[in-house]
Amino acid sequence: MATVAQPRPRTRPLVAAQRRPALRHLGPNWYAAVMGTAIIANAGAGLPFHIPGLPLIWALSLALLVLLLVARAGHWLHHRDQARAHLLDPAVAPFYGCLSMAFLAVGIGSLSVGADLIGESAAVPLAWVLYALGTATGLVAAVAVPYLMVVRHDVAPGSASPVWLLPVVAPMVSATLGPLLIPHLPAGQAREAMLLGSYAMFGMSLLATLVILPVVFSRLIHRGALPLFLTPTLFLVLGPLGQSTTAVNNLADVAGGSIEATYAHGMTAFAVLYGVPVMGFALMWLALAVAMAVRAARRGMGFAMTWWAFTFPVGTCVTGAEGLARHTGLHAFEWLAVALYALLAAAWLVAGFHTVRGLVNGKLLAAPVKK
């Protein structure tokens, strides 16, 4: 008697549910690793002595950016429900600002050290592409994330975090890269438009930071220290401080050939008059953040991707100090940049080591443990 073939069970939904499981919990916060790696090259290029290997570190940041863009595209393709959940989570959505800053940080490195590796004919077009992508995504994030926080997110009272700064700082990084591209524009209207457009992004980012920062400090005063794993995010406050100082100094570098001399002289003076007090506040906040990090470490703070907050924000203070050294001639700013760079390099090595180890053992891409 012939046997009747039984229909195979339909497994497609199960297979679809299990597809690319390693990508399910890959959030936008991973772009911080690109930023932290790129700033090693960018900040090292402005030190008063030569550091070998910086173009290779920049190339690593570019490779990490491409890898993460592909992985995040896979995340949206295969885990759209989780991606939407990230957008609707007030603790995760601000990290979309990191996408913009990753583009821009690698773009800055393309001009500062990348040309030594791939040649200026390739480095300049690459910087333009990264500038366009980073500026577009940054401006969208600077509006879209606060909009979601107002109309869609369920933000608990007293939950303010330095992470809230991430989407609004992104335009400040555009204001830093823009001046580096001005020499590659024709003289006249194009240069002046880029100069003043960069100042506009500097202003929008600075004023947004001045709105958010008091809320964050008020939360610390009234609610106490952040949870241990969030303590490194205190270093994020250094980002808008160091980046804005870097931006005004970069803008002053190119103002002379881009705008009327009267305004150019004023921009050069503003770079120092703004940058020195802000750098002073940054050093005060750095001391506070280090003290809080030591306290958290003594209470058992383990590694998390938030440790990458120890890198890029500190790096912006390095580039800010380098800019002030150029415009004041003070060796003290050069030595400040060197000391901060040593701290940055140590933080990068530690964060990088733990990230690689977490990827190898699978802990960093595992589902978060619900408490």
Side-chain angles (χ1 to χ4, degrees):
M1 183 176 178
T3 58
V4 179
Q6 298 294 324
R8 294 183 179 180
R10 301 180 68 180
T11 59
R12 182 170 295 181
L14 178 60
V15 172
Q18 293 178 345
R19 191 182 300 162
R20 309 293 192 277
L23 298 180
R24 181 163 182 80
H25 301 287
L26 182 73
N29 58 320
W30 279 78
Y31 287 112
V34 178
M35 298 159 53
T37 302
I39 199 68
I40 290 288
N42 301 346
L47 293 176
F49 49 82
H50 175 69
I51 298 180
L54 294 182
L56 295 178
I57 295 177
W58 169 79
L60 174 61
S61 71
L62 177 60
L64 288 174
L65 175 61
V66 173
L67 179 63
L68 272 174
L69 287 173
V70 173
R72 286 285 298 160
H75 179 267
W76 271 95
L77 179 63
H78 298 295
H79 302 285
R80 196 163 298 174
D81 61 322
Q82 184 69 16
R84 287 180 57 84
H86 283 165
L87 273 176
L88 298 178
D89 186 344
V92 180
F95 284 99
Y96 272 90
C98 292
L99 169 60
S100 166
M101 291 186 281
F103 281 129
L104 296 165
V106 177
I108 293 170
S110 178
L111 295 176
S112 60
V113 298
D116 295 337
L117 189 65
I118 63 176
E120 186 175 359
S121 60
V124 173
L126 177 60
W128 274 111
V129 170
L130 293 171
Y131 174 79
L133 292 172
T135 300
T137 54
L139 292 175
V140 170
V143 175
V145 174
Y147 174 83
L148 288 174
M149 294 181 72
V150 172
V151 303
R152 296 296 299 275
H153 292 167
D154 183 14
V155 181
S159 62
S161 163
V163 171
W164 290 8
L165 291 168
L166 289 172
V168 301
V169 174
M172 190 70 79
V173 189
S174 291
T176 303
L177 175 53
L180 303 182
L181 291 167
I182 284 179
H184 303 283
L185 289 170
Q189 288 285 317
R191 291 190 178 188
E192 185 172 352
M194 176 67 90
L195 182 77
L196 296 182
S198 297
Y199 262 108
M201 288 187 285
F202 161 84
M204 72 171 70
S205 182
L206 176 63
L207 294 176
T209 297
L210 294 178
V211 170
I212 295 172
L213 190 55
V215 180
V216 173
F217 190 69
S218 176
R219 180 256 177 263
L220 293 174
I221 294 297
H222 294 104
R223 299 286 180 134
L226 295 172
L228 294 183
F229 78 99
L230 283 178
T231 300
T233 65
L234 290 171
F235 282 75
L236 295 177
V237 175
L238 298 174
L241 303 176
Q243 198 70 65
S244 62
T245 303
T246 304
V248 293
N249 279 277
N250 284 1
L251 288 163
D253 288 339
V254 297
S258 307
I259 201 169
E260 184 182 333
T262 302
Y263 294 112
H265 292 313
M267 290 176 180
T268 301
F270 178 69
V272 176
L273 295 177
Y274 171 88
V276 173
V278 170
M279 186 59 64
F281 179 70
L283 293 176
M284 184 198 77
W285 190 271
L286 175 62
L288 173 63
V290 168
M292 296 299 293
V294 170
R295 175 184 179 275
R298 294 178 64 181
R299 284 164 170 75
M301 178 183 66
F303 176 75
M305 287 299 289
T306 52
W307 281 34
W308 283 98
F310 293 138
T311 58
F312 187 80
V314 174
T316 66
C317 292
V318 176
T319 55
E322 290 168 350
L324 289 173
R326 291 196 306 273
H327 288 111
T328 64
L330 281 177
H331 296 305
F333 284 119
E334 292 182 348
W335 289 112
L336 175 61
V338 171
L340 291 174
Y341 190 81
L343 178 63
L344 166 64
W348 178 68
L349 290 172
V350 172
F353 170 78
H354 284 285
T355 300
V356 172
R357 186 172 70 171
L359 285 172
V360 171
N361 61 31
K363 291 182 178 179
L364 283 181
L365 292 177
V369 178
K370 295 182 179 180
K371 298 182 180 180

